[in-house]
Amino acid sequence: MLILAIDTSCDETSAAVSRDDHILSSVVYSQIEVHKKWGGVVPSLARINHEQNIDNVINIAFNRIKKNQKSKIKNQKFGKITLNDIDAVAVTVGPGLAIALEVGIRKAKEICEKFNKKFIAVNHMEGHLLSAFIKAESKIKNQKSKIKNKEDIANIENLNFPGVGVLISGGHTQIVKVNAIGKYEILGDTLDDAAGEAFDKVAKMLELGYPGGEIVEQLAKDGEPIYQLPIPMLKSHDYNFSFSGLKTAAMYFLRNYSGVKDKQFISDFCASFQFVLIDSIRRKLEKCLTDYPARIACGKALAGGPANFILCGGGVMNNLAIRKMIRQTAKKFGIPAYFPEKKYNSDNAAMIALAGFYKAKRNEFVRDINKVDRLPNWEIDDPIKN
Amino acid sequence: MEIVSVDISKKKIINIAIKVLKNGGVVIYPTETCYGIGVDATNAKAVEKLIKYKGDRRGKPISVAVSDITMVKKYADLSPAAENLFNNFLPGPITIVAQGKHKVDSNLESDTGTLGIRYPDYGLILKIIKKFGKPITSTSANVSNGKTPYDVQADILDRISLAKKELIDLIIDAGVLPHRAPSTIVDTTLNEPKILRQGEFIFDILNTKTYVSNSVEETIKIGELLIKNYELRITNKKPNCLIIALQGDLGAGKTQFVKGIARGLGIKNNIKSPTFILCSEYLAPSVIPAQARTQRTRSLDSRFRGNDSTRRILFHIDTWRMESEKELLDIGFEKMISSGNVIAIEWGEKVFGILKKIEKRKDVKVIWVKIETIGENKRKILC
């Protein structure tokens, strides 16, 4: 099955083409054109102007398949793939920024009507959740020949359900129970700020610029977590997160700190902040894994046996300290942790193609595309039938 | 005439200024609006010199600047309304007209004995007045009917005669000031306070209250209270679109306040920070408050697709990541404005220009909320 996937959930305009569960091409607007045109700086207008970018991004997605075919998959016997050849369009309908989602949905509807294709409505967070399983067609051979670490090669077919998903990005921080592909329950969520946002805001407080999450991580490497900040939600008995209190505490600490704010101080402060943030995620994750299969939390019974794996996704998974924490936690519980390739951590359409493929396998196509509307608050565990 | 830059030692400036004021001299000084001109408000000769500088006043009174509320009470009687304004908004760009006690030069008070009082939000000037121990005059440093002065050279010195220049003893130069309109003038001597001149001050000063929050939960409650009080006043079938513009530093509790607004609107969803997504939307039960309390929120997204004509949406916008005002329009702001909708905007000051224009529409009501951090958990909330 050939799928064209589109994601315009927030800042990024992206498109991907996939054959079954293999990605043939994946294009993210900010990573192509803009870098050439404006020398790396994404102007604010381009950031949300999906309308202007979408056709271009889809075209590039198709054009890139050709390149892949010629250079890497010589034995495949098909010509240039066009819109006509695809079987379905998978598009993010939520969660996200309403006006941005609309652009992708409109484009998907247009293509489906014009070329008589099937429509798959995908949840952006399910995309992130499955992003560890994105396999680029060109890379499969390589992967098979030199498997370094079994954990790195995740295979969706061999998953032993249930497991938990950890989704951390600029806009989300969630722990999700994965009962099967397509069957999820949110166990924990942030009550206010997302983890990625907390990183960016602390960066701003330290005048490191925006987005500064990555700079905080870099500086933290040269520092020691010697400053005491409160661990958020220490006493809460659920699996939820809250980072706004940590943000305020960090601000107050900086305001009251009378010493010299030199590079060492900033590095140590970044290390302290990162330590506390990651530690709070670790505590909740461990709590989830420990509570399996018993107890009731968040009003939901954690039925169905112990967690057998951890699935990770979202832009903040670029943070090596978070990856390390999750790996260590997984090890402690004797289960594997699966991470996406670096380029699939942040928003992309490849993950939408993959989630779309599994929906198609379950025959979850949209019956009446006229009824499809953006769902800006669509939670991953809300089984909305479009 | 001496000109000193604000960049030199504050102590030095204060000493020079006080010396000038004590000798009945004239000082031009910066404020949070424009440059003001000050003399000892109790010294008749100094006031005479000031009036000579200002030119024909046609008997118009001249306001005085004070350093704190205790000083005010020595020179004027404050009505409860006036005292409220002091506590809620000052120091800031507001001139309060109160009943004078005739302890300043008679040329400064009006024919009916009222006195205009400024409590400027400018630390250096407050220190000078405090140390001086008496009010100084607070009128703009232009000659009568001249251009509002934001720049010492271009707006003042280049525009006055040599004779007038000689009347000036000291200029405290803070460079070009941000072009903020002169203060809002409120007459508090009447039964109902009345705005005599609207400045740039964004709060609806006659209807704004101050709250003190000691916790996140209290901040949420204040947000809930704001919306519930507003709901109670809705009488027409087609209520205005309510825009709540929030100001406050990182970590002040703006998102928490919006949690309260959502709660007050009967929304059950957890309100998360929209910093990343720029705008979140939540469906609220219908407009009429009585219904809002009884009707259960149905699944938000299924409602979105229905043809519910009474549907009411809370939009929660965060402009923190926005680089220009225009991005507010890019995310569809104008389409959100519809009867009964509520639009909460964090960092509202970043889109001040757009909100000022929108505010003029008859179907829109803008409420400004300012959350000031006064302790780790303590907040002062104006709304």
Side-chain angles (χ1 to χ4, degrees):
Chain A
M1 171 176 276
L2 280 173
I3 292 175
L4 164 68
I6 298 169
D7 184 88
T8 57
S9 58
C10 195
D11 287 2
E12 300 286 6
T13 318
S14 54
V17 181
S18 67
R19 174 187 298 283
D20 296 339
D21 59 348
H22 295 163
I23 302 304
L24 302 180
S25 70
S26 172
V27 178
V28 179
Y29 184 79
S30 69
Q31 287 163 11
I32 44 155
E33 290 298 289
V34 182
H35 285 262
K36 283 183 208 158
K37 271 192 198 163
W38 286 285
V41 183
V42 186
S44 59
L45 269 181
R47 219 168 57 192
I48 44 180
N49 203 344
H50 301 294
E51 196 84 60
Q52 217 171 55
N53 313 334
I54 186 105
D55 285 327
N56 199 8
V57 168
I58 292 174
N59 282 338
I60 297 174
F62 278 105
N63 288 338
R64 283 207 180 156
I65 308 172
K66 205 179 155 193
K67 277 187 204 160
N68 289 347
Q69 277 172 247
K70 274 184 187 165
S71 59
K72 286 163 190 163
I73 321 167
K74 284 173 189 162
N75 295 335
Q76 295 275 3
K77 283 185 183 173
F78 46 75
K80 186 182 175 183
I81 295 171
T82 66
L83 270 176
N84 230 335
D85 304 315
I86 58 163
D87 299 290
V89 181
V91 64
T92 302
V93 301
L97 176 65
I99 198 163
L101 291 165
E102 278 167 9
V103 176
I105 295 169
R106 213 179 302 131
K107 181 48 74 182
K109 282 182 178 176
E110 190 188 303
I111 294 169
C112 287
E113 274 167 5
K114 194 171 168 191
F115 297 94
N116 194 22
K117 304 298 179 191
K118 288 180 171 171
F119 189 113
I120 310 165
V122 178
N123 181 296
H124 183 78
M125 297 315 289
E126 183 177 14
H128 277 305
L129 186 69
L130 302 183
S131 58
F133 303 111
I134 297 174
K135 285 176 274 190
E137 189 129 350
S138 56
K139 286 189 181 164
I140 294 163
K141 271 191 180 170
N142 281 341
Q143 281 188 338
K144 276 182 184 163
S145 59
K146 41 178 178 178
I147 297 174
K148 283 184 209 153
N149 183 349
K150 266 188 183 174
E151 284 184 16
D152 288 337
I153 307 285
N155 196 332
I156 219 163
E157 266 77 30
N158 299 340
L159 278 183
N160 185 12
F161 295 105
V164 292
V166 181
L167 303 172
I168 311 177
S169 68
H172 286 88
T173 309
Q174 290 182 332
I175 299 183
V176 174
K177 183 166 179 262
V178 185
N179 292 319
I181 300 304
K183 283 190 178 158
Y184 315 108
E185 289 168 50
I186 295 173
L187 300 177
D189 201 342
T190 180
L191 300 176
D192 36 60
D193 298 2
E197 178 187 341
F199 269 105
D200 285 338
K201 288 196 168 160
V202 158
K204 179 87 181 181
M205 287 174 207
L206 293 167
E207 287 162 20
L208 304 173
Y210 177 88
E214 280 174 43
I215 306 172
V216 172
E217 185 194 358
Q218 289 308 318
L219 289 166
K221 281 181 191 157
D222 302 328
E224 290 296 324
I226 53 173
Y227 301 112
Q228 279 220 333
L229 292 165
I231 298 170
M233 305 289 277
L234 202 53
K235 287 176 190 157
S236 85
H237 296 292
D238 54 24
Y239 309 120
N240 290 330
F241 305 97
S242 166
F243 298 114
S244 94
L246 176 59
K247 176 179 70 184
T248 308
M251 199 185 64
Y252 251 79
F253 183 90
L254 291 173
R255 199 180 272 186
N256 295 337
Y257 182 75
S258 53
V260 186
K261 287 177 186 163
D262 57 2
K263 180 137 195 298
Q264 192 54 50
F265 167 78
I266 292 179
S267 295
D268 289 340
F269 183 79
C270 287
S272 309
F273 171 81
Q274 178 172 279
F275 171 79
V276 166
L277 184 138
I278 293 178
D279 200 48
S280 90
I281 297 174
R282 179 187 62 79
R283 282 162 193 264
K284 295 296 172 148
L285 179 60
E286 286 196 359
K287 189 169 162 60
C288 273
L289 296 169
T290 313
D291 286 356
Y292 265 103
R295 302 197 205 134
I296 291 173
C298 306
K300 284 168 186 163
L302 298 180
N308 297 314
F309 57 85
I310 302 173
L311 278 185
C312 304
V316 182
M317 286 300 163
N318 278 327
N319 182 304
L320 293 176
I322 287 185
R323 286 173 99 107
K324 190 176 168 196
M325 176 278 285
I326 295 174
R327 277 215 180 86
Q328 283 171 345
T329 307
K331 205 173 168 190
K332 187 171 164 188
F333 286 83
I335 54 176
Y338 303 115
F339 295 92
E341 264 182 64
K342 194 174 189 314
K343 65 174 172 180
Y344 297 124
N345 279 327
S346 45
D347 290 354
N348 65 84
M351 65 187 199
I352 303 305
L354 190 64
F357 168 69
Y358 284 98
K359 284 195 97 168
K361 258 181 111 175
R362 298 193 303 270
N363 207 20
E364 290 178 16
F365 295 102
V366 167
R367 290 202 188 122
D368 181 356
I369 67 170
N370 293 320
K371 282 187 184 161
V372 178
D373 197 359
R374 79 280 196 289
L375 304 172
N377 298 306
W378 186 15
E379 297 287 8
I380 192 171
D381 58 354
D382 189 357
I384 287 171
K385 298 266 187 285
N386 272 286
Chain B
M1 179 177 64
E2 189 180 355
I3 300 181
V4 296
S5 160
V6 284
D7 297 332
I8 68 164
S9 131
K10 300 275 176 285
K11 218 174 169 179
K12 206 172 164 190
I13 301 174
I14 294 169
N15 287 336
I16 298 170
I18 284 173
K19 208 172 160 191
V20 172
L21 290 168
K22 276 190 177 157
N23 290 330
V26 173
V27 181
I28 288 181
Y29 59 90
T31 73
E32 78 276 38
T33 59
C34 58
Y35 278 96
I37 185 160
V39 299
D40 179 348
T42 60
N43 181 333
K45 276 206 170 142
V47 173
E48 200 178 302
K49 201 174 168 190
L50 171 75
I51 292 172
K52 205 169 165 192
Y53 173 87
K54 286 290 284 183
D56 183 12
R57 297 286 302 163
R58 292 172 195 263
K60 273 207 290 189
I62 292 173
S63 304
V64 299
V66 297
S67 61
D68 51 68
I69 196 159
T70 332
M71 184 183 280
V72 177
K73 287 180 174 169
K74 277 189 206 156
Y75 295 90
D77 278 321
L78 293 187
S79 66
E83 208 152 330
N84 261 340
L85 289 176
F86 258 95
N87 293 331
N88 287 348
F89 300 113
L90 296 182
I94 298 175
T95 299
I96 289 176
V97 177
Q99 200 57 51
K101 286 185 172 169
H102 318 304
K103 285 185 180 163
V104 294
D105 184 79
S106 60
N107 285 310
L108 302 180
E109 293 183 346
S110 73
D111 297 343
T112 54
T114 62
L115 179 65
I117 301 151
R118 263 278 267 145
Y119 180 7
D121 190 8
Y122 205 99
L124 176 65
I125 304 311
L126 291 179
K127 279 186 191 141
I128 291 173
I129 302 169
K130 192 163 183 79
K131 197 160 179 205
F132 185 55
K134 285 186 276 188
I136 65 171
T137 58
S138 169
T139 175
S140 56
N142 52 325
V143 295
S144 290
N145 303 318
K147 184 181 182 292
T148 307
Y150 297 107
D151 182 359
V152 168
Q153 191 63 43
D155 297 342
I156 302 170
L157 296 179
D158 289 354
R159 288 167 181 268
I160 55 174
S161 64
L162 197 64
K164 295 221 173 189
K165 268 183 205 168
E166 279 172 358
L167 293 169
I168 305 169
D169 297 283
L170 174 67
I171 296 178
I172 302 170
D173 191 352
V176 182
L177 302 177
H179 284 52
R180 288 181 74 182
S183 63
T184 297
I185 304 177
V186 191
D187 187 349
T188 61
T189 60
L190 312 161
N191 283 337
E192 289 280 320
K194 192 181 165 197
I195 293 178
L196 303 179
R197 176 179 80 187
Q198 180 67 54
E200 209 170 87
F201 197 69
I202 48 181
F203 284 88
D204 177 358
I205 50 180
L206 304 183
N207 292 309
T208 300
K209 289 197 177 86
T210 309
Y211 301 86
V212 172
S213 161
N214 291 301
S215 66
V216 166
E217 186 51 37
E218 279 181 34
T219 300
I220 295 173
K221 284 214 172 104
I222 295 163
E224 187 180 1
L225 193 72
L226 171 82
I227 201 79
K228 283 195 164 161
N229 286 341
Y230 178 80
E231 299 278 284
L232 290 174
R233 292 201 298 268
I234 293 179
T235 47
N236 50 337
K237 277 188 183 159
K238 215 168 173 232
N240 287 344
C241 175
L242 177 63
I243 296 174
I244 298 167
L246 294 128
Q247 286 179 289
D249 290 340
L250 273 180
K254 298 179 293 298
T255 297
Q256 304 296 343
F257 193 89
V258 178
K259 278 176 189 272
I261 290 169
R263 201 193 271 177
L265 289 168
I267 293 167
K268 303 267 160 65
N269 303 57
N270 176 40
I271 304 298
K272 291 181 226 172
S273 163
T275 296
F276 181 75
I277 207 165
L278 305 174
C279 174
S280 308
E281 46 189 75
Y282 306 92
L283 198 66
S286 66
V287 181
I288 303 154
Q291 280 184 0
R293 280 192 289 273
T294 54
Q295 193 177 343
R296 264 191 86 230
T297 324
R298 272 182 280 155
S299 160
L300 175 70
D301 290 318
S302 68
R303 287 276 301 270
F304 261 122
R305 280 170 292 151
N307 292 320
D308 190 346
S309 60
T310 60
R311 74 178 194 173
R312 176 179 208 199
I313 301 169
L314 167 67
F315 292 95
H316 183 189
I317 297 174
D318 190 336
T319 67
W320 192 68
R321 290 206 303 144
M322 294 186 186
E323 281 152 31
S324 73
E325 256 197 350
K326 196 189 157 293
E327 283 182 57
L328 180 68
L329 305 177
D330 288 342
I331 61 163
F333 177 64
E334 281 156 321
K335 276 192 199 164
M336 298 170 195
I337 297 168
S338 169
S339 171
N341 283 356
V342 178
I343 307 173
I345 306 178
E346 298 196 23
W347 306 96
E349 67 274 26
K350 283 184 76 176
V351 290
F352 182 78
I354 292 176
L355 295 182
K356 268 287 148 197
K357 272 182 215 152
I358 290 285
E359 202 170 26
K360 290 181 185 137
R361 282 174 53 163
K362 277 185 182 158
D363 57 342
V364 171
K365 164 86 182 158
V366 179
I367 296 178
W368 285 88
V369 176
K370 190 172 186 180
I371 309 179
E372 284 171 33
T373 309
I374 44 181
E376 182 148 7
N377 296 310
K378 206 168 179 181
R379 303 285 185 270
K380 183 170 148 190
I381 301 177
L382 300 177
C383 57

